[in-house]
Amino acid sequence: MIEKIIENNECKYIGKFMEDLPDNVMLNKVTTGCGMTSLVLDNDVNYVLAVPFVSLIKNKEKWCKERGIELCSVYSGGADEEAFKEFGGKKIIVTYDSLEKVTKWLEERGDLKEWKLCIDESHKMVDTAAFRMNAIKTVLDNYTKYKSFVFGTATPVKHKYQLPSLKHIPRVRIQWDNLESVKVNYCHYSEKINDVTAVLALDFINGERMGNAHIFISSVKSICDIIRKMQKGGFINHGEVRIVCADTDRNQSLIETKLLKKYCISPVGSGVRKVNFYTSTAFEGCDIYDEEGRSFIVADGNKDCTKIDIVTVLPQIIGRVRNSRYNRTVDLMYTKNKYWYDETEEEFEKKVHHGISEAEKDILEFNGLRQESTHRQNAIEKNDNPFLLVDGDQLCLNENAWYNEMHNFSTMKKTYYVSKDGTESTIVDGTTNYNGLDYDYVKENRIEIKGLNKVKLGRKPSFKDLCIDCIEVFEGKLDIIRSAKIVSIERDFPLIHEAYYKLGAEKMKALTYRKKAIEDALLVSSNGASINYKIVKLLDLKEGQRYSKKEVKVALEKTYLKLGINKRAKSTDLDRWFEYKLKYKKVNGVTESGLVITGCKIKLTK
C-alpha cells in the first residue's frame, strides 16, 4: 500500500500539523518524542488512548496530573465501571486488554461515536501477536466502533507482515526535515554479557563513567543476575540501582528471591538513580527524564526469555531519555540471536513456515491424547512454542506468529544488519538508513572480563592482567579513579603500586609481569635491607626441604648475579646464612649428596 507523506514544514512536534492528518490511518511517526501521545492527551478532543502496557498508563497519569488534565485510567487495578460512569472528562487511557470493556461502557452510555481512538505503540500489535493474542483480538474487534482511529508508531510494520485485518488501513508517514542522525556504538560478545553489564554498571557507580546508566534489557532474571554479580564484588548500596519492569507478583517474587528483598519494582516515572534497568514492557512509549542519562541496549541472543529480542526495538529506545544531552547516542552490546543468522528473508520465511508445519503436527498429536493424560497436561503447562496458543485445555495454531517472526526479522535486518560481503552476518562501521532516520554505527572496544574488571566482580585475576591494567591506569590509558569505591590500586594492590613507581612499566614488562620476579627486583633495589637479608630472601630455601648441592649452587649463582656480587658460588656458602644437615639420596643407582635446611642464621627483618 502506498504511503501518504505529510511534510512537517520545519516543525519539531506533531501537534503543529496534526490537522493535516486524515482519519482512520496507520501513522508512521518516524521518531519517538515527537508529541503524538501528548497531543492526544492535551487537546480538546474526546480521545481514548489504548496502550500496550500498564507501565505506560502510570507514566502518563503522572504527566497528566502535573498538567491538571482529567484522566480516567482503565486496566486491571484501575477505574471500575462505577468510577467510569462518574468520569466527565475527555481523556481515557486503557490497556489493549481492557479496550473491549471501555468500548462497552461507552456504548451503554450512548456516546461511543463521539470518541476518537488512538492505538499507541501499534507495532506491538504484531510484536506480541505470538503470545498476547487475546489483547490483540480485543483491539481488532473494537477499533472500528469509534468515531475515528489512528494507529501510531515509530517502528512501522512492513505491509507484507502486517496483521491481515489491518492491511487495508491507509498508511501515512511524516516527512521530518530536522532529524538528527543516531550514533550507535556497538560491540559483539560471544558470551558472559551479564558479566560485561555488571562491570558497566559498577563503572557508573564508582565514577569511572560519567552520568547515569539507563540499561534496556529483555529479562528480569538477567537483571537479578547482573546485580548479584555486582554484589559479589562488594557493591552493597542498593539505593544506587533502580529496576523498572512489569509490576507483577511473579517479577517481584523473583527479585525478592534472587536479591534478598533489598530491591523492589520501581515505576518508570520514579527518581533516576546511577544505574537504571528497564525491560521492554516498562519503557515503550514512556517518558524518561535525565539530562545526564546514557542509554545502553543489552541483547543476549542466547536467551529466549521474552519471545521478542530487545534489539528489534532500537527505534523505541533512541531518544527515550527525553532531555538527555546524549539522547541521539546509544550503546548496543549484543550476542547473536536467531534473527542474526546468515539468511535471506526468503530463507528465514521458509524456516518459519516449517515451524508452523511442525506445530500443526503437534496439535494433531495432542488431540489424540486422552483428556486426563499427564503428557497432555504437561504440553499445556510447558508450552513455549510461539506457533501454539493455549485455549483452556486445548492447543490451537497461532497463525499470527508468522507475522510476528517475519516482522522481527525484517526490523532486525533493516535496523542493525549490515553484511560485509553477503556472507558475513555482522554490523560494520558506517551509516544505514531505516524509516527515514540515519544510524551511524561505530565499533566500540570490548569490556574485557580480566584484570581490574575481574576484581570488581569479586574474582581473582591473573597477576599479569592485573599489572597491565594498573599500569594503564597510572599512565592515564584506563579511566579508573584510584580512590574508587570498589577498587583502589594503592590499597588493594600495594605490590603493583610500589613496582610501578620504583621499577617502572618497562622493567615490569621485561620481567613478564611475574609476581616473584617483581618481588625480587624490588628487594634488590631496596636501600633499607642488608645484603644478607636480600640473599636469604632471594634464595627462598624452605626449612625441612631437601636440595641437591647442584640446585643450591645454581640458586646461589642466580642470587649473586641479581645482586651484582662478583663471587663464584659454592654450596658451602650456605654456612653463612643457614643451618642444615647433609642428606644423601640414590638417583638412578648413584648416591647423590644433598642437604636439608634446618634453620636460618639471619633475622628476617629489614
Side-chain angles (χ1 to χ4, degrees), residues 20-54:
D20 296 328
L21 182 68
D23 290 337
N24 304 333
V25 295
M26 285 277 179
L27 175 62
N28 176 4
K29 301 183 297 182
V30 175
T31 182
T32 60
C34 64
M36 187 193 80
T37 309
S38 300
L39 174 69
V40 166
L41 293 173
D42 200 24
N43 62 19
D44 196 38
V45 178
N46 289 338
Y47 252 117
V48 174
L49 177 65
V51 298
F53 306 119
V54 173

Side-chain angles (χ1 to χ4, degrees), residues 123 126-127 130 155-158 160-162 307-313 315 336-353 387 400-419 422 425-426 434 441:
H123 60 281
V126 175
D127 272 355
T155 313
V157 178
K158 193 173 182 179
K160 181 179 179 181
Y161 305 131
Q162 182 58 271
K307 298 186 175 66
I308 299 175
D309 196 293
I310 199 164
V311 291
T312 63
V313 293
K336 282 190 178 182
N337 62 24
K338 63 181 177 180
Y339 305 114
W340 278 90
Y341 294 121
D342 305 313
E343 295 176 316
T344 65
E345 197 164 340
E346 291 73 22
E347 289 169 336
F348 186 80
E349 185 173 357
K350 287 181 181 179
K351 183 183 290 186
V352 174
H353 279 302
F387 303 116
N400 287 312
W402 179 84
Y403 301 98
N404 168 252
E405 288 287 281
M406 295 309 301
H407 167 61
N408 285 343
F409 181 90
S410 176
T411 303
M412 175 74 76
K413 294 293 183 181
K414 286 182 177 179
T415 313
Y416 300 88
Y417 177 86
V418 182
S419 179
S425 178
T426 184
Y434 171 69
Y441 293 93

Side-chain angles (χ1 to χ4, degrees), residues 450-542:
K450 62 181 184 179
L452 288 170
N453 284 339
K454 261 195 173 180
V455 175
K456 293 172 187 175
L457 299 178
R459 302 177 195 168
K460 187 175 181 179
S462 71
F463 186 75
K464 178 180 178 179
D465 287 341
L466 203 52
C467 284
I468 292 172
D469 274 5
C470 290
I471 288 170
E472 288 191 352
V473 172
F474 294 136
E475 294 181 346
K477 299 175 184 176
L478 188 67
D479 293 329
I480 181 173
I481 298 175
R482 297 183 194 178
S483 59
K485 303 175 186 178
I486 297 169
V487 180
S488 168
I489 295 175
E490 292 91 335
R491 178 194 67 221
D492 299 328
F493 314 112
L495 173 62
I496 298 174
H497 181 261
E498 182 183 9
Y500 177 78
Y501 286 103
K502 289 184 178 179
L503 303 177
E506 289 303 316
K507 178 67 174 177
M508 294 173 72
K509 182 179 180 180
L511 295 172
T512 63
Y513 306 109
R514 289 176 293 119
K515 185 176 182 181
K516 181 64 168 62
I518 288 174
E519 288 175 333
D520 288 352
L522 284 171
L523 179 61
V524 169
S525 66
S526 172
N527 295 323
S530 68
I531 191 67
N532 288 328
Y533 174 86
K534 291 180 180 181
I535 290 172
V536 170
K537 293 292 287 184
L538 290 171
L539 284 171
D540 194 28
L541 300 177
K542 308 298 183 185

Side-chain angles (χ1 to χ4, degrees), residues 325-385:
R325 57 195 182 100
Y326 309 101
N327 68 358
R328 284 294 165 185
T329 300
V330 65
D331 285 67
L332 169 63
M333 304 183 297
Y334 69 97
T335 62
K336 282 190 178 182
N337 62 24
K338 63 181 177 180
Y339 305 114
W340 278 90
Y341 294 121
D342 305 313
E343 295 176 316
T344 65
E345 197 164 340
E346 291 73 22
E347 289 169 336
F348 186 80
E349 185 173 357
K350 287 181 181 179
K351 183 183 290 186
V352 174
H353 279 302
H354 176 72
I356 293 175
S357 297
E358 291 299 307
E360 290 174 332
K361 292 178 183 178
D362 291 342
I363 291 173
L364 287 174
E365 180 183 350
F366 177 85
N367 290 337
L369 297 173
R370 295 192 312 273
Q371 194 74 24
E372 65 276 10
S373 166
T374 302
H375 184 59
R376 182 185 180 103
Q377 190 61 36
N378 287 339
I380 290 178
E381 291 178 356
K382 298 179 180 180
N383 173 52
D384 60 356
N385 187 333

Side-chain angles (χ1 to χ4, degrees), residues 232-333:
K232 287 181 180 178
F235 166 70
I236 57 174
N237 186 0
H238 61 277
E240 293 185 290
V241 174
R242 184 172 66 126
I243 301 173
V244 181
C245 62
D247 191 0
T248 64
D249 292 340
R250 180 180 179 276
N251 282 345
Q252 188 58 56
S253 175
L254 179 62
I255 291 170
E256 290 179 357
T257 301
K258 296 287 186 181
L259 302 177
L260 302 178
K261 298 184 178 181
K262 291 184 177 180
Y263 296 82
C264 61
I265 298 171
S266 299
V268 70
S270 58
V272 168
R273 299 181 185 178
K274 289 302 295 181
V275 176
N276 307 270
F277 291 101
Y278 306 87
T279 61
S280 58
T281 57
F283 71 79
E284 286 203 57
C286 294
D287 300 321
I288 303 169
Y289 295 97
D290 180 12
E291 291 182 0
E292 298 300 319
R294 306 185 70 168
S295 297
F296 298 85
I297 299 174
V298 178
D300 188 353
N302 297 315
K303 294 183 178 180
D304 183 28
C305 43
T306 57
K307 298 186 175 66
I308 299 175
D309 196 293
I310 199 164
V311 291
T312 63
V313 293
L314 174 64
Q316 295 296 319
I317 294 172
I318 291 294
R320 183 58 59 194
V321 186
R322 300 299 193 202
N323 61 336
S324 170
R325 57 195 182 100
Y326 309 101
N327 68 358
R328 284 294 165 185
T329 300
V330 65
D331 285 67
L332 169 63
M333 304 183 297

